[in-house]
Structure formats: C-alpha cells, structure tokens
Amino acid sequence: MPPKALDYESLNENVKKVQYAVRGELYLRASELQKEGKKIIFTNVGNPHALGQKPLSFPRQVVALCQAPFLLDDPNVGLIFPADAISRAKHYLSITTGGLGAYSDSRGIPGVRKEVAEFIERRDGYPSDPELIYLTDGASKGVMQILNTIIRGEGDGVLVPVPQYPLYSAAITLFGGSLVPYYLEETANWGLDLNNLRQSVAQARSKGITVRAMVIINPGNPTGQCLSEANLREILNFCFHEGLVLLGDEVYQQNIYQDERPFISARKVLMGMGLPISKEVQLVSFHTVSKGYWGECGQRGGYFEMTNIPPQTVDEIYKVASIALSPNVPAQIFMGLMVNPPKPGDISYEQFVRESKGILESLRRRARIMTDGFNNCRNIVCNFTEGAMYSFPQIRLPPRAIEAAKRAGKVADVFYCLKLLEATGISTVPGSGFGQKEGVFHLRTTILPAEEDMPAIMDSFKKFNDEFMEQYEDHRGYSRM
C-alpha cells in the first residue's frame, strides 16, 4: 500500500528539515521533568510574563474595555477605570468595523497604522507612510511573509548573522532557500566585520547562490549587542552596492542596558545618508509588542514597514496578507497603545512611566548580575548584554567533556545544557541552535527571571558548572582561555 499524504515519509522535505532549537530537545526534556514534579526555570525563550513580569496597567485597561464594551455603558465604569483609558477604548472601538470580534483590513486597522507611522516619524525624524505599514500576528509572521516573498528557490540566499535567532534558519529552510551565514566577532563584542560579509557573499556566489537579502538583528538575539550608527552606515552601503534588501529585526529596541550605544533604527540612518542610497536601498523593518517593557508575547502583535519597495511588490504582499483575512485585532490595539502611550498630563501617565521605568531599570540590573555571574564561573566568558533579553556566554568545554558528549551521541553544548537542566532545573538553549564557529560552545539564557531570584539562580549555575568542570577537566594545564 503506498504511503498516505500525511505519513512521515511522504511529507514536504522542507518541513522535515526545519529545526527550531528554542523549543527543541532541551525544552521538551524540561517539560517532561516539570510533569514529573521538578521545578523548572524556563529561561529558554524571551517570554517575560511567564517569568513574572507584570503587565502594564494602562494597555490592559484599554483592551479590557474594548473586549467588553458593555462596561462602557455601566454608570460605575469611572470608579474602576481611569478616564483616559475609557477615552482611548472608545476611540479604538470607533475605528474598528464591529469591535474586536470583527475582521479588520488585511493590512491592519488604518487608524492604528497611522499611529505607528506617527511613532516612526517621532523616533526617526522622517515621515512614514501608513500605507506601507502592515500589522501582523507578532513580528515573526511578518518576517516569514517577507522571506516567503523574497525566496524563489534553493538558489536564493539570505545573509543571516551567526549566532542567529533560529526563526531565520527555520523559515529560510521552510521556504526552500539557502541561509548564507556571516559570523559576528565575539572578541569584538559580537561586532560586524565587513570583510567577513564580503567573503560570505563571494563564497555563496561561487556555489551558484544568488544572495538577495541581508538580515540584521538590532539589538542582537542571542548576542545582545547594539549596532552603532557607523555599523549601520557600512551595512546600508554594502546592501546598496550588492543590490540586497535589508531586513531590520528591531524588536528589542526598548531593551537597552547601557548609555554608550543607544538604539538607532536602520531607517533613520538610511534616510540620513542622502541620495542615491536613501531612495535606492530596499528596507523592511520589524517591531513587536512582545518585547521591551511590554512583554506581551501572548497577544501576538507586530508590524513591518516597507521603505523603497516598488508599488507592484507592495500589491503582491497585500494579496498574500489578504489570504489570512485579518491580523489579530486585540493585538492591533496593543500595538496602537505601544506606539502611542499616555502623554504628560494624562491621568495614567505617571503610573505608566513608573511601571515601564521600573521594568527597564530592573532588566538593566539583571543584565549586569547575569554577566558578572557567568564571568565569575570557571571556563566561562561572557560579553555584557548591551540590549535585548539574553546572555550568550561561551562555555570552554574540556576535551574530556566533548568526548563524553560524542559517546552519548550529543553535540557538546547540548550535553552540557542537558546536564545543567537535570541538576538545577535551569532550561537554556545550546549555542549550536543559533550557529557558532566550529569548536566553540555557548548557551543562551534570558535575563528575565525575577531580580530577587537571580542571585540564587546564578549560585546554582556556578555550583553545577564547578562540579561539571571538576569532573571533566584535565588537570594537566587546561585553562579557560
């Protein structure tokens, strides 16, 4: 009997090739241990509310009223909800076609897209066109839609920073394209080397691959670095000369933990470079409500903005967006609130600032606690997390540990992370899931556990690491460097 369409052996090969380490072997084992009663600290994914971050009050109040509009007719509504939340809820309901239970425009509610455009103009100092902004179910859906538009087959390549967020490798594989890695330099705080970039393109072309796009993740995931204006200029010049579309993953733009390198958008730098580059380089920028001090991952709200994309291409992107009818409508309201939060003088302003500032200041302290904690561990070196939500320490594994991993049929950093999980309940992601140089090993952990729990978590990690190194280290001179 021939295999049926959904038997494993007859599935789409691209589906079988896809790998997504953030929810891979480590996560599945952690879930098993949790079912067995072990306390698990899930630091494998940037999911702030799951690790105790409190939702901001104002957006939840507004969306609650939009979800239950009959509350607005209750004479006591003003006793429970602040007047500015009531006013904003009425505004959003007035610009929907039937409330939150009705489909919106396939590109998103026009009024919310206008708010996004105004936010971008305030941020960058250059006008933004709401017609070139599409609201999406999280930034990931937008990234996948654009990659699907770019990739025509396995002969098409996309430059992706390594280490990279596995959304990109997974989506490129799924759509049948080729990932072209460019390695970030760990010893230069995960900096970008333009010569390395040129070599990556030349190598890909020598294999018959047409490089069509370049991805930047700024601030970096998993590496946490912030790109300087000079870096961005180099990248945009490179894209101009190579004819590449630049995909700017800027979802962590609120998550900055130092003052030397503030976030600056690729679009702002592009617009400031003047003709011909400012009108020639094709750019798609992504943002989300899932990160920053919002952390509303479960709401699935995001957007992408297109710059210098031809109208006919925009029409094709709209056509594909319309297949899904509408992005998640409550998430669109969250996006509107993120880009247009309470202003000075509003009733909710002081509470909003207090809550958001408290979250960011705590994240800044946690970034420092975690970096210092890793750097105090034997055979571990870690760059400071300048931005985003992660630490990405290098684990200098002794040769005996690498041999033990081989015998167990595991990649060495997977072996280490599984041992860490079993011993401490800390669920991380091995560096091999993000890509890394041959013979170098890392793990990624979020900086999201509660601040008061962080010292105990780092003590637990250090105890495990000391015992692991003691077990596997060759005491005849092996050192951390």
Side-chain angles (χ1 to χ4, degrees):
M1 188 184 214
K4 296 171 187 167
L6 283 177
D7 288 349
Y8 179 78
E9 58 269 28
S10 62
L11 293 180
N12 179 340
E13 284 301 317
N14 290 341
V15 171
K16 291 195 273 187
K17 287 177 194 168
V18 165
Q19 293 186 334
Y20 188 68
V22 173
R23 290 283 173 92
E25 180 181 359
L26 263 293
Y27 172 76
L28 295 173
R29 179 60 184 144
S31 299
E32 285 174 11
L33 290 170
Q34 189 178 47
K35 285 176 190 170
E36 293 167 10
K38 187 174 181 71
K39 184 185 175 186
I40 303 297
I41 303 161
F42 284 99
T43 71
N44 59 298
V45 62
N47 194 9
H49 293 187
L51 286 164
Q53 182 173 308
K54 295 285 188 292
L56 298 171
S57 301
F58 182 74
R60 288 296 185 99
Q61 290 165 339
V62 174
V63 174
L65 288 166
C66 289
Q67 289 277 25
F70 52 83
L71 293 174
L72 293 166
D73 299 326
D74 190 300
N76 294 318
V77 67
L79 300 176
I80 303 170
F81 294 92
D84 52 355
I86 293 169
S87 170
R88 287 292 286 280
K90 288 178 176 176
H91 163 71
Y92 285 122
L93 288 169
S94 75
I95 62 172
T96 63
T97 50
L100 271 57
Y103 291 133
S104 74
D105 185 296
S106 298
R107 297 163 294 183
I109 299 165
V112 175
R113 287 187 283 130
K114 183 171 180 288
E115 286 182 302
V116 173
E118 289 165 351
F119 156 76
I120 292 168
E121 183 170 352
R122 287 193 305 275
R123 184 194 67 190
D124 295 344
Y126 299 95
S128 173
D129 183 354
E131 295 299 304
L132 298 175
I133 293 165
Y134 282 38
L135 305 183
T136 55
D137 295 338
S140 298
K141 279 289 176 69
V143 168
M144 292 180 77
Q145 186 175 343
I146 296 300
L147 285 173
N148 196 19
T149 305
I150 291 168
I151 294 168
R152 301 165 300 183
E154 64 183 354
D156 284 345
V158 179
L159 277 164
V160 177
V162 175
Q164 54 101 23
Y165 177 46
L167 162 67
Y168 292 96
S169 53
I172 291 164
T173 299
L174 186 62
F175 300 137
S178 296
L179 185 144
V180 180
Y182 66 92
Y183 287 91
L184 302 177
E185 188 49 60
E186 186 168 10
T187 55
N189 202 28
W190 298 114
L192 176 66
D193 182 344
L194 219 58
N195 289 326
N196 180 278
L197 207 51
R198 291 190 187 100
Q199 281 176 353
S200 295
V201 171
Q203 200 171 4
R205 286 177 178 156
S206 72
K207 296 175 184 173
I209 293 169
T210 303
V211 182
R212 286 170 56 80
M214 176 177 176
V215 173
I216 56 169
I217 307 174
N218 182 35
N221 173 11
T223 48
Q225 87 287 7
C226 296
L227 291 173
S228 67
E229 183 172 350
N231 284 153
L232 288 165
R233 281 177 177 275
E234 283 182 332
I235 289 163
L236 288 160
N237 263 314
F238 180 79
C239 289
F240 174 66
H241 290 295
E242 298 291 342
L244 307 179
V245 57
L246 181 63
L247 308 185
D249 181 335
E250 298 175 337
V251 301
Y252 295 101
Q253 60 189 263
Q254 291 177 341
N255 296 97
I256 306 296
Y257 311 125
Q258 38 72 43
D259 302 319
E260 294 74 33
R261 257 198 284 209
F263 170 77
I264 181 167
S265 74
R267 184 179 181 276
K268 180 174 183 174
V269 176
L270 175 62
M271 293 295 102
M273 290 176 77
L275 297 172
I277 289 179
S278 61
K279 288 292 184 187
E280 288 293 330
V281 173
Q282 296 180 338
L283 168 68
V284 184
S285 307
F286 304 90
H287 199 9
T288 183
V289 301
S290 298
K291 309 304 178 186
Y293 44 79
W294 287 68
E296 293 280 6
C297 298
Q299 309 294 348
R300 309 313 301 136
Y303 76 74
F304 62 83
E305 182 198 26
M306 298 171 279
T307 303
N308 297 329
I309 308 299
Q312 276 185 302
T313 302
V314 174
D315 289 345
E316 294 299 309
I317 291 168
Y318 170 70
K319 178 180 71 179
V320 173
S322 68
I323 295 169
L325 290 174
S326 162
N328 169 359
V329 176
Q332 296 183 50
I333 308 302
F334 272 101
M335 179 56 74
L337 291 160
M338 186 183 85
V339 298
N340 187 15
K343 297 177 178 61
D346 291 351
I347 294 164
S348 298
Y349 176 73
E350 287 187 13
Q351 182 182 14
F352 180 84
V353 169
R354 188 167 61 251
E355 290 174 353
S356 55
K357 193 175 175 187
I359 291 165
L360 275 182
E361 287 176 348
S362 175
L363 284 168
R364 183 182 278 227
R365 290 191 295 271
R366 282 179 267 174
R368 177 52 67 191
I369 291 168
M370 193 161 264
T371 305
D372 290 347
F374 283 131
N375 283 323
N376 283 327
C377 287
R378 187 165 159 184
N379 294 344
I380 294 181
V381 286
C382 186
N383 285 321
F384 177 64
T385 302
E386 294 182 344
M389 292 179 170
Y390 313 99
S391 277
F392 197 64
Q394 184 183 147
I395 318 294
R396 305 188 73 91
L397 293 172
R400 285 174 57 205
I402 296 169
E403 282 302 315
K406 279 180 187 168
R407 287 195 301 273
K410 302 287 182 191
V411 177
D413 53 9
V414 173
F415 178 78
Y416 179 91
C417 291
L418 280 168
K419 295 280 190 188
L420 171 67
L421 173 65
E422 301 278 351
T424 67
I426 300 170
S427 175
T428 59
V429 188
S432 50
F434 302 92
Q436 53 198 352
K437 289 182 178 177
E438 189 69 33
V440 180
F441 305 103
H442 299 82
L443 63 78
R444 188 193 80 167
T445 173
T446 70
I447 61 167
L448 295 173
E451 188 174 349
E452 60 270 23
D453 297 337
M454 197 69 88
I457 290 169
M458 295 312 295
D459 285 347
S460 174
F461 178 89
K462 186 175 189 303
K463 180 174 181 291
F464 160 78
N465 184 72
D466 284 349
E467 290 171 357
F468 181 94
M469 295 301 169
E470 190 64 33
Q471 179 180 355
Y472 290 105
E473 201 162 30
D474 182 342
H475 294 285
R476 292 171 298 178
Y478 181 80
S479 73
R480 66 183 284 172
M481 295 306 288

